[in-house]
Amino acid sequence: MYSIKEFKVVPAIPEPLEGLKRLAYNLWWTWNHDAIQLFQRLDRQLWEDVQHNAAMMLAAVPQHRLERAAKDNSFLANLARVLDSFSEYQTANTWFSETFPEHASRKLAYFSMEFGLHESLPVYSGGLGCLAGDHMKSASDLGVPLIGVGLLYHQGYFQQFLSKDGWQFEDYPELEVHHLPIELVKDDSGKPLMVSFPVGEREVHAQIYRVNVGRARVFMLDTVLPENDPDDRAITSRLYGGDQQMRIRQEIVLGFGGVRALRALGFEPSVFHMNEGHSAFLALERIGHLVETAGLSFAQAREAVAGSTIFTTHTPVPAGIDTFPRELVTKYLQPFSDRLGVTMDEIVGLGQTQAQPNSQQPFSMATLALHLSRNSNGVSKVHGRVAREMWQGNWPNVPVPEVPITSVTNGVHVRSWLAPDFERLFERYLGPSWSAAPDDGDVWTHVNEIPDSELWLAHERRREQLVVAARAHLRKQALKRGDSPALVAETEELLNPEALTIGFARRFAPYKRATLLLTDEERLIRILSSTDRPVQFVFAGKAHPRDNLGKELIKRIVQFARDENLQSRFVFIENYNMSIARFLVQGVDVWMNTPTKPLEASGTSGMKVVPNGGINFSVLDGWWSEAYDGDNGWIIGDDRIYDSAEYQDQVESEAIYETLEREIIPEFYDRSTDGLPRKWIARMKASMRSCTAQFSAARMVRQYVNQLYMPAMKNGLHLTEQNYQAAKELAEWKNRIETQWKSVHIESFAADDEGEHTVGAKVKVRALVRLGDVNPKEVAVQLYHGPKPTNGVIEDGNVVAMQFDSKNGDGLSHFTGNLPCDKSGEHAFAVRILPKMPDVSDQFNLNLIQWA
């Protein structure tokens, strides 16, 4: 062997084009069509070859093209306009700075295992990542001072390729990190800024990369360093690759390492938002830091941390939650035990529904997140209800509707998914400022002013672009598989640019039921083979590398697509990514979604078709349960959930065919004398009016700010002021109440009159409560009332506070309350008692509720 020295060659950007580099390293350009066109003009084919990576484009474009562009007055004028827009965007006043000027200098941290910001930075797998990316982009638009924290995966998720029989295989090429739109963070001496932390028995080092997202920033940790053991370098190798041991190591880097990275960068965020349970270790790191530096006990530090922490769950089934056996948790968290000042039993208990020492219950990251945050939410109204049922075990005596998990329905960053044809339409008819407030429902009423002919023409252009892009991808697939020249040539004839086009692109998990459409193949073939009313389907999606059931679904779809009776109207596009998603959502007429209810937490792909004129055809689950109004799309089945999954599939597959045959296809091909499908266009407009604003990420981020971020910030600031005095008092109070609560119980309760009552009356209820040493001001005694139950439990009850009256010589406290008689019928009520303190935002978090 011979020794080598490394050196780096960077693009020689002519001085007039220096602004291109500034743009390339800020992903603002990804939602600005004028900026995108700048890079396309340099070399359109190369732009496709580098997968729309502006940073790589500047490195790969031939020097003579750069020199020519530097002398092109038209190009330079376009560049100047884009740079002016960028500067104006970066310096303008924002919604957050105007609404919360007193908090404009504070920071909020958003931790996520993946960020889907753009296909040029492939460190995402699907919906969770794209949601995180859209969250950051909208935070930038609104000026919310949000800092993202994630991991830089050198091999990303995986590249999908299919064998000739349709079986999915995975490839993991190394990303060229030096060509990604990211920047290595350096310290004052010019060296990479590093953080370190224990991962098991070894100290692991990580460097930090910055991703600029408009006004926002995302920081990504990287352990692929020579200082690390080879096993530790692999931690940031693949997203969701490896076994449980690799997963917990990645989550240690994200949680413990991410918080340390923020401190090294000089940030002390006022709020921490955990996007799924992957990052729940961040709370332990924050607690440990306060124990070390502020002299707090674990209990005191826990109160200070939990009060400013938010947890968002995206998972509607227990099987989707990261859990680890006790031995694995002990192996990797033991180094943090002494620092936290608690035993491993106590740490493990935080991740268990019933925190009992030596319990064999697995350690759940979501449970840890719930125990160490005071604000939790699901990602749609339906999912909020599912999450409350799913996690009630953490609040065993609390009725499901009162389980402290709220919901914030997901949304999408409209401009990131919007076709340029529609952006021009919106600027003309909605006004040039529509993009400043995409969540303003009044703006979208102006969709009615867009002439039907213009709207339809723009949509038809996008469908044609979809067909062109799909053919190009299918040709590449055929060449990669080694298909015959005849089969490769056939890809040029696949799909019809004028046919009704239905898209389905999902992660191929069994519950998403990608093959529900194939339940009756003969009937489907009859629909697809029509000559006068052609219909075509475009499928895409990946299965998890270890999900063989998901791979079987892909195989069945691919093999069905080869049926010669389909006339090239059913295709599967490999290697689904954000680029493919974009031309699909911009070009389909209908977006179909078939999850098993209620397992779709939210879903966002269907939201992306709406501003592009696409119409949803979906099961009533996730976001579509909130969106559907009868005029803006179609539903598959109804909202019933049957005991038999097979029967559910049968009913809903029949509904797909019926709706296609009787409603969707006739409406699409019902043309007026001028050739326009007027009823269809009316439905397109109804979809845009009713869904675009409500399911935009701008609405979502504003809702997070108003309902979760600001309350958490105020609570966190209160708990930390005056040397954490409120956190200390709260911890002491909880400890005392837990000790004294053993003597608390309700002796009896009764209504003054237990006969019949007229609507509008109020019935006085009295309760005798033994409080022991607990002060009456420290308890809440409540009436819980609702319709007479059939199973002994009042569902969806209402709460009425009872008032302390007096205390007798036997030590019994008297409480009274008025039971309202608002509706006729049979009703029931119960009495309960729970601790009450002003600083406790979640009244149930002590789990000390008692029922009479």
Side-chain angles (χ1 to χ4, degrees):
M1 291 293 292
Y2 48 86
S3 63
I4 62 172
K5 302 282 187 182
E6 296 182 0
F7 65 99
K8 184 177 181 180
V9 179
V10 297
I13 307 293
E15 192 275 332
L17 303 183
E18 277 294 325
L20 283 175
K21 188 172 182 181
R22 181 178 165 214
L23 290 173
Y25 284 89
N26 191 309
L27 294 181
W28 170 87
W29 69 262
T30 65
W31 66 90
N32 185 288
H33 291 299
D34 288 340
I36 293 170
Q37 289 174 358
L38 274 176
F39 294 106
Q40 288 176 326
R41 284 179 64 176
L42 291 173
D43 189 323
R44 290 187 180 275
Q45 185 54 53
L46 182 60
W47 179 248
E48 296 302 321
D49 292 342
V50 300
Q51 299 179 355
H52 311 155
N53 183 336
M56 185 179 291
M57 183 76 177
L58 293 183
V61 68
Q63 191 66 31
H64 71 273
R65 287 188 178 272
L66 291 174
E67 300 293 347
R68 186 172 65 191
K71 299 175 183 177
D72 183 337
N73 289 333
S74 171
F75 186 93
L76 294 176
N78 194 8
L79 174 59
R81 284 195 300 273
V82 171
L83 288 172
D84 285 346
S85 295
F86 181 49
S87 296
E88 182 181 349
Y89 177 89
Q90 293 288 75
T91 57
N93 289 333
T94 67
W95 169 77
F96 188 89
S97 64
E98 293 177 350
T99 309
F100 304 102
E102 71 278 18
H103 297 302
S105 62
R106 299 195 183 278
K107 303 299 180 188
L108 303 92
Y110 180 88
F111 279 61
S112 183
M113 187 65 101
E114 49 177 303
F115 283 90
L117 294 160
H118 190 254
E119 59 265 25
S120 60
L121 187 58
V123 291
Y124 60 91
S125 72
L128 178 73
C130 290
L131 182 279
D134 282 9
H135 196 115
M136 295 303 304
K137 292 173 188 176
S138 286
S140 168
D141 290 344
L142 296 170
V144 180
L146 200 63
I147 302 169
V149 180
L151 303 182
L152 179 66
Y153 305 99
H154 284 241
Q155 296 176 355
Y157 188 36
F158 69 87
Q159 301 294 307
Q160 177 196 54
F161 64 96
L162 304 180
S163 64
K164 292 189 176 183
D165 69 350
W167 189 256
Q168 173 183 292
F169 288 90
E170 298 84 34
D171 190 22
Y172 294 89
E174 286 283 334
L175 300 177
E176 297 182 72
V177 173
H178 59 286
H179 282 157
L180 296 178
I182 60 179
E183 298 172 301
L184 183 64
V185 178
K186 297 181 179 180
D187 60 22
D188 293 339
S189 64
K191 295 180 181 179
L193 184 65
M194 305 281 280
V195 292
S196 62
F197 38 85
V199 179
E201 297 177 350
R202 290 189 295 271
E203 191 78 2
V204 171
H205 305 272
Q207 60 186 4
I208 307 163
Y209 284 91
R210 179 178 59 247
V211 187
N212 297 310
V213 188
R215 300 182 183 94
R217 287 164 290 180
V218 176
F219 294 97
M220 296 183 174
L221 277 70
D222 172 25
T223 66
V224 182
L225 300 171
E227 297 94 323
N228 288 330
D229 183 271
D231 285 345
D232 298 328
R233 294 175 205 162
I235 294 174
T236 58
S237 177
R238 297 178 182 176
L239 172 62
Y240 304 141
D243 56 13
Q244 274 195 314
Q245 190 149 218
M246 178 56 74
R247 177 63 67 89
I248 195 171
R249 286 148 60 84
Q250 289 182 327
E251 293 177 353
I252 286 172
V253 174
L254 177 61
F256 288 100
V259 175
R260 295 189 185 194
L262 289 177
R263 284 202 298 268
L265 290 161
F267 297 122
E268 289 291 343
S270 301
V271 174
F272 284 74
H273 184 177
M274 301 183 286
N275 190 41
E276 249 313 337
H278 307 124
S279 58
F281 289 144
L282 72 82
L284 292 179
E285 170 60 27
R286 294 178 64 203
I287 291 170
H289 182 66
L290 290 180
V291 170
E292 279 187 333
T293 61
L296 302 184
S297 68
F298 178 87
Q300 294 166 341
R302 176 180 175 178
E303 296 304 331
V305 166
S308 58
T309 304
I310 294 159
F311 168 52
T312 297
T313 173
H314 294 259
T315 309
V317 289
I321 301 295
D322 280 352
T323 60
F324 302 109
R326 180 187 181 89
E327 310 78 61
L328 201 60
V329 176
T330 301
K331 174 180 178 181
Y332 284 103
L333 296 194
Q334 187 68 61
F336 300 99
S337 176
D338 292 340
R339 181 167 175 255
L340 290 166
V342 292
T343 66
M344 277 308 303
D345 282 343
E346 291 173 286
I347 293 176
V348 171
L350 290 170
Q352 296 175 328
T353 301
Q354 299 294 335
Q356 299 171 347
N358 303 315
S359 169
Q360 294 306 304
Q361 189 182 143
F363 180 93
S364 162
M365 293 297 288
T367 299
L368 178 67
L370 288 167
H371 283 157
L372 296 182
S373 60
R374 290 288 171 262
N375 300 276
S376 302
N377 69 282
V379 289
S380 71
K381 291 180 180 177
V382 171
H383 182 231
R385 293 196 298 269
V386 171
R388 286 189 285 274
E389 293 174 0
M390 181 173 165
W391 297 113
Q392 189 194 18
N394 288 292
W395 297 271
N397 291 319
V398 177
V400 169
E402 293 187 289
V403 168
I405 300 176
T406 184
S407 65
V408 176
T409 302
N410 285 344
V412 297
H413 186 253
V414 175
R415 290 192 67 188
S416 288
W417 302 101
L418 186 66
D421 312 72
F422 279 83
E423 184 173 63
R424 288 191 289 270
L425 272 183
F426 295 161
E427 288 176 353
R428 191 177 311 137
Y429 293 102
L430 274 60
S433 62
W434 73 267
S435 60
D439 56 333
D440 183 348
D442 292 339
V443 168
W444 295 97
T445 62
H446 296 290
V447 165
N448 291 335
E449 298 171 18
I450 303 175
D452 287 359
S453 57
E454 289 192 46
L455 184 65
W456 188 245
L457 179 61
H459 181 62
E460 287 206 301
R461 279 199 300 264
R462 296 317 306 176
R463 191 190 316 113
E464 290 169 3
Q465 289 298 311
L466 183 159
V467 171
V468 169
R471 286 173 176 173
H473 278 272
L474 292 163
R475 176 180 172 81
K476 288 180 183 178
Q477 288 175 208
L479 289 170
K480 191 173 182 179
R481 277 196 307 269
D483 287 349
S484 67
L487 287 176
V488 173
E490 284 180 8
T491 61
E492 298 301 324
E493 305 298 324
L494 292 173
L495 303 177
N496 176 352
E498 296 182 354
L500 170 62
T501 303
I502 302 174
F504 182 102
R506 313 287 295 164
R507 179 166 58 89
F508 269 68
Y511 83 87
K512 294 181 184 288
R513 299 189 299 180
T515 56
L516 188 65
L517 180 66
L518 308 185
T519 302
D520 187 342
E521 292 188 8
E522 291 184 5
R523 189 173 181 181
L524 179 59
I525 290 172
R526 286 198 301 272
I527 293 170
L528 293 171
S529 57
S530 171
T531 55
D532 58 332
R533 300 192 303 184
V535 180
Q536 58 197 14
F537 281 85
V538 182
F539 272 69
K542 296 178 177 180
H544 188 280
R546 292 193 296 276
D547 184 2
N548 286 334
L549 288 176
K551 292 182 181 182
E552 289 288 353
L553 297 176
I554 292 175
K555 182 178 178 180
R556 186 178 173 197
I557 291 285
V558 172
Q559 292 184 344
F560 175 78
R562 293 177 181 160
D563 192 302
E564 59 185 17
N565 295 313
L566 297 182
Q567 300 181 17
S568 304
R569 293 180 182 169
F570 195 103
V571 300
F572 184 92
I573 298 176
E574 288 181 23
N575 207 29
Y576 186 45
N577 61 15
M578 292 180 73
S579 175
I580 293 172
R582 197 175 296 111
F583 74 68
L584 282 177
V585 301
Q586 291 176 357
V588 296
D589 299 296
V590 174
W591 192 262
M592 192 174 76
N593 189 22
T594 55
T596 301
K597 296 191 292 284
L599 303 183
E600 181 79 299
S602 174
T604 55
S605 57
M607 301 174 187
K608 296 163 188 168
V609 307
V610 170
N612 292 293
I615 304 174
N616 280 274
F617 177 34
S618 177
V619 167
L620 276 174
D621 197 12
W623 80 282
W624 190 235
S625 179
E626 298 174 41
Y628 176 68
D629 66 8
D631 297 320
N632 58 2
W634 299 274
I635 58 172
I636 297 172
D638 51 34
D639 59 359
R640 283 176 288 187
I641 300 176
Y642 299 97
D643 293 335
S644 167
E646 291 77 12
Y647 186 67
Q648 190 90 34
D649 290 352
Q650 178 186 334
V651 168
E652 292 178 351
S653 63
E654 177 69 20
I656 290 175
Y657 304 131
E658 284 286 319
T659 307
L660 283 171
E661 293 168 339
R662 296 177 181 272
E663 299 183 47
I664 296 176
I665 297 171
E667 189 171 298
F668 183 84
Y669 286 105
D670 178 15
R671 306 296 168 103
S672 57
T673 54
D674 56 6
L676 295 176
R678 297 285 183 177
K679 290 182 180 178
W680 189 275
I681 294 170
R683 197 179 294 270
M684 290 169 63
K685 290 183 176 180
S687 173
M688 288 180 174
R689 287 195 310 270
S690 62
C691 296
T692 311
Q694 179 61 20
F695 299 100
S696 70
R699 185 275 310 155
M700 174 187 72
V701 171
R702 281 191 225 259
Q703 193 174 348
Y704 270 111
V705 170
N706 289 323
Q707 296 182 14
L708 294 171
Y709 291 170
M710 295 314 297
M713 180 183 293
K714 292 174 183 176
N715 192 33
L717 293 174
H718 168 65
L719 290 168
T720 59
E721 63 188 2
Q722 296 181 355
N723 194 28
Y724 301 91
Q725 184 61 33
K728 293 174 182 176
E729 291 176 357
L730 182 55
E732 186 278 330
W733 177 81
K734 283 187 174 183
N735 180 63
R736 176 174 58 80
I737 285 292
E738 285 181 325
T739 302
Q740 294 176 344
W741 202 256
K742 297 169 186 175
S743 61
V744 172
H745 63 275
I746 300 169
E747 293 277 339
S748 64
F749 72 98
D752 281 359
D753 182 357
E754 297 185 356
E756 294 183 350
H757 309 279
T758 58
V759 172
K762 292 187 181 296
V763 181
K764 180 167 282 191
V765 178
R766 304 175 189 275
L768 290 177
V769 181
R770 190 170 299 281
L771 294 177
D773 294 330
V774 179
N775 190 306
K777 294 181 180 180
E778 296 179 315
V779 301
V781 180
Q782 300 171 339
L783 289 169
Y784 189 77
H785 66 98
K788 180 181 176 181
T790 56
N791 59 356
V793 176
I794 299 172
E795 297 182 359
D796 295 321
N798 295 301
V799 174
V800 173
M802 301 183 74
Q803 306 301 318
F804 173 72
D805 277 352
S806 61
K807 188 173 183 179
N808 64 22
D810 296 331
L812 289 175
S813 296
H814 295 249
F815 288 81
T816 60
N818 292 316
L819 188 66
C821 300
D822 296 329
K823 295 180 181 179
S824 60
E826 293 187 300
H827 300 269
F829 71 95
V831 174
R832 67 187 187 186
I833 183 171
L834 58 158
K836 180 181 71 175
M837 184 178 180
D839 283 338
V840 181
S841 57
D842 168 13
Q843 61 179 332
F844 301 120
N845 79 82
L846 276 176
N847 267 332
L848 296 179
I849 185 171
Q850 286 191 31
W851 295 81

